[in-house]
Amino acid sequence: MKYSYVSHLYCPKCSSIYDTKAQHQLCTCGSPLLVDYALEGLGKVLSPEQLKHRKADLWRYHELLPVEDENNVVSLGEGMTSLVPLYRLGRDMAVDHLYMKDEGLVPTGTFKARGAAVGVSKAKELGVEELAMPTNGNAGAAWALYAAKAGMKSTIVMPEDAPEITRNEVAISGAELYLVNGLISDAGKIVGRAVKEYGLYDASTLKEPYRIEGKKTMGLEIAEQLHFKMPDVILYPTGGGVGLIGIHKALKELKALGWVEGDLPRLVAVQATGCAPIVRAWEEGKRESEFWNDSETKAFGINVPKALGDFLVLDALYETNGCAVAVDDEVMLKEQERLARLEGSFVCPEGAAAFAAARRLKKTEWIKEGETVVVLNTGAGIKYPDTVDMQPERLEKEEAIDK
Ligand SMILES: *Cc1c(COP(=O)(O)O)cnc(C)c1O
Ligand SMILES: [Zn+2]
């Protein structure tokens, strides 16, 4: 049996077709490319039952991933994160069946490792020797470390005020690291010029087609962990939107395989009030977003003023009767504290935003009684030491605690 059932790349805008044997970036029309699989053939030879005995990482879905030769897989053990039922927080926000897909548990501490594992593996298969990318921090950290594991060079450009921890991850991997006095969009322009000048492989969000396939595995896992019964709602903190596009793609592939029944879950894109281009577009009923000026949020992973795949995110929202919600930083940090107090989980601010959105959507009855709701916590809170404001009491050596 084949390791991968990948068939070709296609353009969701102009329907052009490309092969998966050569390096491709964007379509000639400027749109991101998506990966297609021979699902009909696969449906005949694989059943969900057979997955049960496989390794607990994302490569258990190798037929639905683009890497064709198993020897090219670059893995640090990513995937198959817990889907944790949250009874106490669920009661607190009156959501009956609340789950957290906890991506704080993967290598490098965020779900970006999924995209990097599959993206770097496929790049290796395609003979890439050096890649380049702009990043707000987490993606660069993951790609730099996976590139190191693959023996590949990388050039990473990030905003000066991206978190120091992600900077350190990139630096220690041996990548070439540059800081720019600007936003990720400015870093992107610099990378674009370097790619042209030095012939590097452009690993920018959605400029190579395979990162999305790695992120798709979140959707595959959620379905498998719920025994191939779809949840009602999935909330996702949305920056570039790759995770949400990926989850949508995964669930559609599972449906095409006939592995799941019922409607797709309503997908919710959650953004920060300080950077909410998708929310604005959704509220205006538009199919594309506009550049968000002077964006600002502590949840730096979702500080993306204009996403290349915005139209795919909006398609996913319209197609599933989902919605888009913006959350204030203050509200997300309060929710982050609640998660820690009620569930013992220190989530990242992006994840906390998605929980705050669930709370609001239950209050407005957009989420209904008895529904199953899955929230993506996209990373570990320990990667954001500065989001916690604390003033512990100081004691002298001999002093006693006074309760
Ligand atoms: C990148 C990132 C996001 C946003 O993910 P997209 O798939 O680009 O929308 C959310 N949370 C964290 C922690 C991130 O690093
Ligand atoms: Zn095209």
Side-chain angles (χ1 to χ4, degrees):
M1 204 172 137
K2 283 188 295 185
Y3 189 68
S4 168
Y5 273 68
V6 67
S7 65
H8 60 274
L9 301 171
Y10 69 96
C11 172
K13 269 206 174 137
C14 76
S15 307
S16 295
I17 304 271
Y18 297 81
D19 67 56
T20 56
K21 307 281 184 223
Q23 293 177 24
H24 294 291
Q25 310 255 220
L26 295 175
C27 180
T28 48
C29 80
S31 164
L33 294 171
L34 298 177
V35 184
D36 214 350
Y37 295 84
L39 295 177
E40 219 162 276
L42 178 58
K44 292 194 188 110
V45 293
L46 188 70
S47 71
E49 274 302 302
Q50 287 162 267
L51 293 175
K52 281 191 184 151
H53 313 288
R54 292 190 177 178
K55 263 197 316 196
D57 64 29
L58 63 77
W59 299 100
R60 67 199 277 107
Y61 306 110
H62 57 80
E63 288 93 344
L64 289 168
L65 293 172
V67 178
E68 296 186 67
D69 180 349
E70 188 173 4
N71 294 315
N72 291 322
V73 167
V74 179
S75 176
L76 295 169
E78 57 287 332
M80 223 47 195
T81 53
S82 316
L83 185 68
V84 191
L86 303 179
Y87 303 112
R88 295 182 72 202
L89 189 74
R91 213 172 304 134
D92 189 63
M93 57 171 82
V95 169
D96 292 321
H97 309 285
L98 180 64
Y99 292 89
M100 167 173 60
K101 180 71 173 157
D102 193 3
E103 295 293 303
L105 305 171
V106 285
T108 74
T110 75
F111 80 104
K112 291 291 196 303
R114 293 179 187 266
V118 174
V120 167
S121 298
K122 189 64 190 180
K124 185 177 164 198
E125 187 157 271
L126 294 169
V128 170
E129 287 172 3
E130 182 166 1
L131 57 83
M133 69 186 302
T135 175
N136 270 339
N138 287 332
W143 281 72
L145 287 160
Y146 277 86
K149 174 86 175 162
M152 202 181 284
K153 284 197 225 155
S154 58
T155 295
I156 311 284
V157 186
M158 59 169 81
E160 218 164 43
D161 51 10
E164 200 180 330
I165 178 77
T166 60
R167 207 189 284 178
N168 293 347
E169 288 176 278
V170 173
I172 202 161
S173 77
E176 255 181 63
L177 168 66
Y178 298 92
L179 302 179
V180 54
N181 175 16
L183 293 173
I184 186 168
S185 37
D186 302 301
K189 284 177 200 147
I190 294 173
V191 166
R193 289 196 293 271
V195 160
K196 267 206 195 111
E197 188 159 348
Y198 303 107
L200 309 176
Y201 185 66
D202 193 343
S204 307
T205 308
L206 290 174
K207 287 195 182 163
E208 60 77 47
Y210 303 108
R211 179 199 292 213
I212 190 173
E213 296 302 300
K215 295 190 174 184
K216 172 180 93 176
T217 57
M218 290 186 287
L220 300 175
E221 289 176 18
I222 290 169
E224 188 181 358
Q225 288 170 318
L226 292 174
H227 311 287
F228 293 97
K229 198 174 168 304
M230 297 265 195
D232 297 293
V233 177
I234 297 180
L235 297 101
Y236 185 86
T238 303
V242 185
L244 193 121
I245 300 165
I247 289 171
H248 186 224
K249 187 170 186 285
L251 298 176
K252 286 203 293 191
E253 286 172 1
L254 291 177
K255 247 181 116 60
L257 282 169
W259 289 5
V260 283
E261 281 173 21
D263 294 334
L264 291 194
R266 298 173 345 255
L267 298 177
V268 181
V270 181
Q271 300 201 293
T273 316
C275 182
I278 302 279
V279 178
R280 182 181 283 167
W282 182 80
E283 283 171 349
E284 294 171 352
K286 297 212 170 109
R287 311 229 54 131
E288 273 179 40
S289 67
E290 272 171 48
F291 191 92
W292 189 277
N293 286 313
D294 306 319
S295 64
E296 199 183 350
T297 170
K298 287 205 163 87
F300 65 88
I302 53 175
N303 190 347
V304 181
K306 164 79 183 165
L308 196 56
D310 56 355
F311 70 103
L312 295 169
V313 175
L314 288 158
D315 282 355
L317 303 185
Y318 294 126
E319 231 180 276
T320 62
N321 289 316
C323 69
V325 175
V327 175
D328 287 337
D329 275 20
E330 205 181 303
V331 174
M332 74 176 79
L333 296 183
K334 202 159 265 160
E335 200 66 51
Q336 186 190 36
E337 187 175 299
R338 268 195 215 106
L339 254 294
R341 293 187 179 199
L342 294 177
E343 297 290 349
S345 190
F346 185 9
V347 302
C348 63
E350 294 85 347
F355 280 103
R359 180 183 296 277
R360 185 177 332 145
L361 290 173
K362 180 59 177 60
K363 206 173 243 169
T364 60
E365 293 177 23
W366 190 89
I367 292 174
K368 296 174 202 73
E369 243 166 78
E371 289 197 314
T372 298
V373 176
V374 175
V375 177
L376 271 295
N377 171 42
T378 41
I382 48 173
K383 288 200 82 173
Y384 303 68
D386 301 334
T387 57
V388 182
D389 184 25
M390 46 144 198
Q391 274 105 24
E393 198 174 322
R394 302 249 163 223
L395 298 177
E396 296 306 323
K397 279 185 205 153
E398 305 300 324
E399 223 176 307
I401 292 170
D402 188 12
K403 290 232 186 227

